Amino acid sequence: PPANRVEEPSQPEEVETTPVKAARSVEELARLARRSAVVIRHGGRTGGEGGTGSGFVISREGLIATCAHVIGESRPLTVHFDDGSDYKVTSIHAWDAKLDLAVLQIDCGDKILNPIKLAEADSITQGAEVVAMGAPHGLEFSVVRGVLSALREFDGRALLQVAIPVEPGNSGGPLLDHEGRVHGLLTMKSAVTDNLGF
């Protein structure tokens, strides 16, 4: 007859877990954003004083994302980095007035660019903490923290409502989650109250 078998105690199955990334502090996010954030300057249409806006690097090949209304029809355009370097915009790579989005091309020569990571679409939820960087009223590379107040849709356009003041010069600046991924660009503010932007 077959010998009696002794059952070995079963071992618990090992379950693979994905380590949860620790949320970055605002200080860390600010350092991360400064590597990729830019200030966009343009001359006036009649040769007078122009304006400023914000943007950020999205590719090592010199592509810069910003808002379409930041550049309008103004030329020439210059992209300014936090290390003091300036580069002329060589072309408008892409443009969408309805989305208020523009992608600029610069010739950065030997400069090593640090593209900022783009988040997956629809991967942020109401109440998430967010950090933005821009140049409010020309105060370059300013950082502000807030929350995602709501997800809205206006005229078929998806917008992120944020409890962040959006001032002239902030437009085009990146909106980051706690891992440093970009979910959108600052594009407009409430005309009625502060600390309400999109």
Side-chain angles (χ1 to χ4, degrees), residues 140-196:
E140 301 175 353
F141 307 106
S142 297
V143 68
V144 63
R145 179 179 65 176
V147 298
L148 179 63
S149 300
L151 303 169
R152 305 285 183 196
E153 188 166 324
F154 295 116
D155 296 327
R157 178 180 169 198
L159 292 174
L160 304 175
Q161 178 187 328
V162 291
I164 286 177
V166 179
E167 301 295 338
N170 270 348
S171 292
L175 184 75
L176 309 169
D177 63 18
H178 61 82
E179 291 181 20
R181 301 171 302 181
V182 174
H183 288 268
L185 298 80
L186 299 181
T187 183
M188 62 181 165
K189 64 175 289 184
S190 167
V192 178
T193 181
D194 293 331
N195 295 325
L196 174 56

Side-chain angles (χ1 to χ4, degrees), residues 6-193:
V6 177
E7 294 286 338
E8 293 185 6
S10 61
Q11 298 294 323
E13 286 187 25
E14 292 186 8
V15 179
E16 288 188 14
T17 58
T18 303
V20 177
K21 291 185 180 179
R24 297 176 189 259
S25 68
V26 176
E27 292 90 344
E28 289 175 310
L29 291 171
R31 284 195 298 271
L32 178 70
R34 279 189 80 107
R35 297 183 314 166
S36 303
V38 300
V39 176
I40 297 168
R41 300 173 176 150
H42 58 78
R45 293 183 184 179
T46 59
E49 186 177 346
T52 62
S54 302
F56 55 95
V57 177
I58 58 172
S59 86
R60 296 186 186 279
E61 288 70 42
L63 294 180
I64 309 291
T66 188
C67 288
H69 80 260
V70 165
I71 63 173
E73 297 178 3
S74 299
R75 303 294 184 272
L77 299 166
T78 305
V79 172
H80 174 71
F81 288 83
D82 75 327
D83 63 2
S85 60
D86 292 294
Y87 299 90
K88 290 184 178 179
V89 172
T90 57
S91 66
I92 309 300
H93 182 77
W95 170 281
D96 191 315
K98 183 174 181 181
L99 295 177
D100 194 19
L101 178 65
V103 178
L104 314 178
Q105 177 73 63
I106 63 170
D107 181 1
C108 54
D110 295 331
K111 182 178 178 64
I112 298 174
L113 298 181
N114 294 290
I116 207 158
K117 186 174 181 181
L118 304 180
E120 294 291 327
D122 304 320
S123 61
I124 193 168
T125 55
Q126 185 178 31
E129 286 192 328
V130 289
V131 169
M133 180 167 279
H137 298 285
L139 299 172
E140 301 175 353
F141 307 106
S142 297
V143 68
V144 63
R145 179 179 65 176
V147 298
L148 179 63
S149 300
L151 303 169
R152 305 285 183 196
E153 188 166 324
F154 295 116
D155 296 327
R157 178 180 169 198
L159 292 174
L160 304 175
Q161 178 187 328
V162 291
I164 286 177
V166 179
E167 301 295 338
N170 270 348
S171 292
L175 184 75
L176 309 169
D177 63 18
H178 61 82
E179 291 181 20
R181 301 171 302 181
V182 174
H183 288 268
L185 298 80
L186 299 181
T187 183
M188 62 181 165
K189 64 175 289 184
S190 167
V192 178
T193 181

